[in-house]
Amino acid sequence: MIRERLPALVPLRLLLVLGFLDALGPLSIDLYVPAFPELQADLRLNDLTVQITLAAMTAGLALGQGVVGSWSDRVGRRRPLLVAMTLHLVGSVTCAVAPSLAVLLAGRIGQGLGAAGSAVLVLAIIRDLSEGSRFITLLTRVTLITTTAPLVAPIAGATLLPLVGWRGLFGVLAAFSTVLLVATAVVVPETLRREHLTPSGRLRKTLADRRFRAAAVVGAATYAGIYAYVAASPLLLRTVWGLSPFAFAAAFLVGSIGLMLGVQVGGALARRTSERSVLLCAASLALAAAIALLPAQLGGLAGVLPCLWVFATACGACFPAAAAIALRDQGAQAGTATSAYGFTTFAAAAALSPLPGLIGVSSATPVAAILAGTAVVSLLVTTIALRPAAVQPIQAVSFESPR
């Protein structure tokens, strides 16, 4: 049933479930990334084909985000969210039992479709509940959970890998999605207001917004950069520098902490200055970090890891600012807008994530070129297409403790 009114308070239990729902996509990637070499050996894959298993999920993320938001604008948020969680569960089980690359790719696409639904609908629910500075506040609270949860995923993956193998890691994801399916059914209410039912013209209205189009391009470049970083990391750190699965997971953990820190700092700055200023500073920092990789690689891991950390942190700072600009005027079609935004970002990620495996990673130079390219796009679009806008007045958002 579509809600007539929204509650004045946002329950903490709802924030927790939304955070873990939003974390489903990153968890589905980060948990199995340390197992790339083992996956390659078991299914006889090369660098490119193992990268395609990552691209398959991001393709599913893009495809799912292209349709689920419009559907939710018609029927509400709960039903599509439950369907999405079921898809992720089925996809995870398929991956765990996959006898071949083709079946594994099918399962990864299913995981991506399910994670797409959760990502789009979490953002739409947040937009249903808030706007302006309140949206940024609520988004950064949820994103704190989203980015904290995957921090343990590489460590957990590296720890579990010798015990359960790469297939067992997908079994863990299946168990996690089962718990989330139950939690969603119990905790997440319908948040779409009846007056926001929009029977037609939603996508046209969304795409007519110039600021939405520009912010979507910035978001796409940022996501492409962070997914390229994720895809290149095991090739660069495990293959080139020979890190063990656990050492790689520790290095990846540090980068994830940077991403989490960037999201929180970027959100806080956007509430005090402007989203455009945050994007300009963060994109400039990401570009500087990518370029610095070229001379830094001469110092080995001690030079490369700080540059990768700064790049991930800068990308994190871009996320809340770009989303806030894109969805600012999309309250009447929040589901469609989040679908269009999500499709753009994850389509770019799906297109770019196989590139490190395609061109080969024998040093940090190709990685630096890819990351710098994404930062240049963000910086140029922010400078040219996003004109300075008035800063929204800061409003408080209320949270209640679980009873």
Side-chain angles (χ1 to χ4, degrees):
M1 176 182 290
I2 308 301
R3 293 187 66 92
E4 300 283 356
R5 296 177 65 249
L6 290 173
L9 298 177
V10 179
L12 181 58
R13 60 183 178 274
L14 176 58
L15 291 180
L16 291 172
V17 174
L18 291 178
F20 284 115
L21 284 169
D22 199 30
L24 198 59
L27 282 171
S28 299
I29 294 170
D30 295 348
L31 190 70
Y32 98 118
V33 165
F36 270 16
E38 289 74 17
L39 178 60
Q40 283 182 270
D42 191 18
L43 295 183
R44 297 181 175 87
L45 308 180
N46 56 36
D47 285 350
L48 176 58
T49 49
V50 78
Q51 295 292 316
I52 290 175
T53 67
L54 176 59
M57 181 173 171
T58 51
L61 283 164
L63 290 172
Q65 296 203 42
V67 298
V68 71
S70 297
W71 180 29
S72 76
D73 277 342
R74 294 194 302 271
V75 303
R77 314 300 187 205
R78 268 180 59 85
R79 192 194 313 173
L81 191 53
L82 292 171
V83 171
M85 293 308 307
T86 303
L87 277 174
H88 188 274
L89 172 58
V90 172
S92 298
V93 173
T94 301
C95 290
V97 300
S100 65
L101 176 63
V103 177
L104 179 62
L105 293 178
R108 291 295 282 167
I109 291 172
Q111 284 187 308
L113 290 171
S118 63
V120 165
L121 294 169
V122 164
L123 197 56
I125 288 169
I126 294 172
R127 185 60 185 84
D128 289 341
L129 296 171
S130 59
E131 61 184 8
S133 296
R134 297 181 72 237
F135 171 83
I136 297 177
T137 300
L138 194 53
L139 178 62
T140 52
R141 297 294 189 274
V142 170
T143 307
L144 178 61
I145 303 167
T146 302
T147 51
T148 300
L151 292 179
V152 300
I155 297 291
T159 303
L160 292 172
L161 183 59
L163 303 176
V164 301
W166 66 268
R167 296 181 185 277
L169 298 181
F170 286 108
V172 172
L173 288 171
F176 184 74
S177 57
T178 300
V179 172
L180 274 182
L181 177 60
V182 174
T184 299
V186 173
V187 173
V188 180
E190 182 55 65
T191 59
L192 180 63
R193 286 173 279 186
R194 188 177 298 277
E195 64 268 23
H196 282 175
L197 283 172
T198 49
S200 63
R202 294 179 294 269
L203 184 59
R204 187 186 70 251
K205 292 175 183 177
T206 296
L207 296 181
D209 184 350
R210 177 183 60 82
R211 288 193 302 179
F212 173 87
R213 297 195 303 270
V217 173
V218 174
T222 305
Y223 269 74
I226 206 67
Y227 271 79
Y229 155 77
V230 169
S233 290
L235 301 178
L236 184 63
L237 301 182
R238 289 204 62 186
T239 304
V240 176
W241 271 288
L243 291 185
S244 68
F246 192 82
F248 167 76
F252 201 80
L253 170 65
V254 174
S256 298
I257 291 173
L259 183 66
M260 177 188 71
L261 179 64
V263 170
Q264 297 305 308
V265 172
L269 290 175
R271 292 193 298 270
R272 288 163 173 75
T273 57
S274 71
E275 294 94 341
R276 183 177 185 268
S277 297
V278 172
L279 289 177
L280 287 173
C281 292
S284 299
L285 185 60
L287 178 58
I291 294 173
L293 269 174
L294 295 173
Q297 66 183 313
L298 298 177
L301 282 174
V304 168
L305 290 178
C307 295
L308 293 177
W309 186 88
V310 172
F311 180 85
T313 304
C315 286
C318 289
F319 289 150
I325 293 173
L327 301 181
R328 175 174 294 158
D329 300 322
Q330 302 298 324
Q333 55 272 343
T336 300
T338 53
S339 264
Y341 184 80
F343 174 80
T344 303
T345 56
F346 281 102
L352 203 63
S353 58
L355 192 55
L358 181 63
I359 64 179
V361 176
S362 58
S363 71
T365 300
V367 179
I370 295 169
L371 301 187
T374 62
V376 166
V377 172
S378 294
L379 189 57
L380 287 178
V381 173
T382 301
T383 302
I384 297 171
L386 287 175
R387 304 298 182 194
V391 178
Q392 298 293 319
I394 298 175
Q395 303 178 43
V397 59
S398 299
F399 301 93
E400 64 174 14
S401 299
R403 299 178 188 274

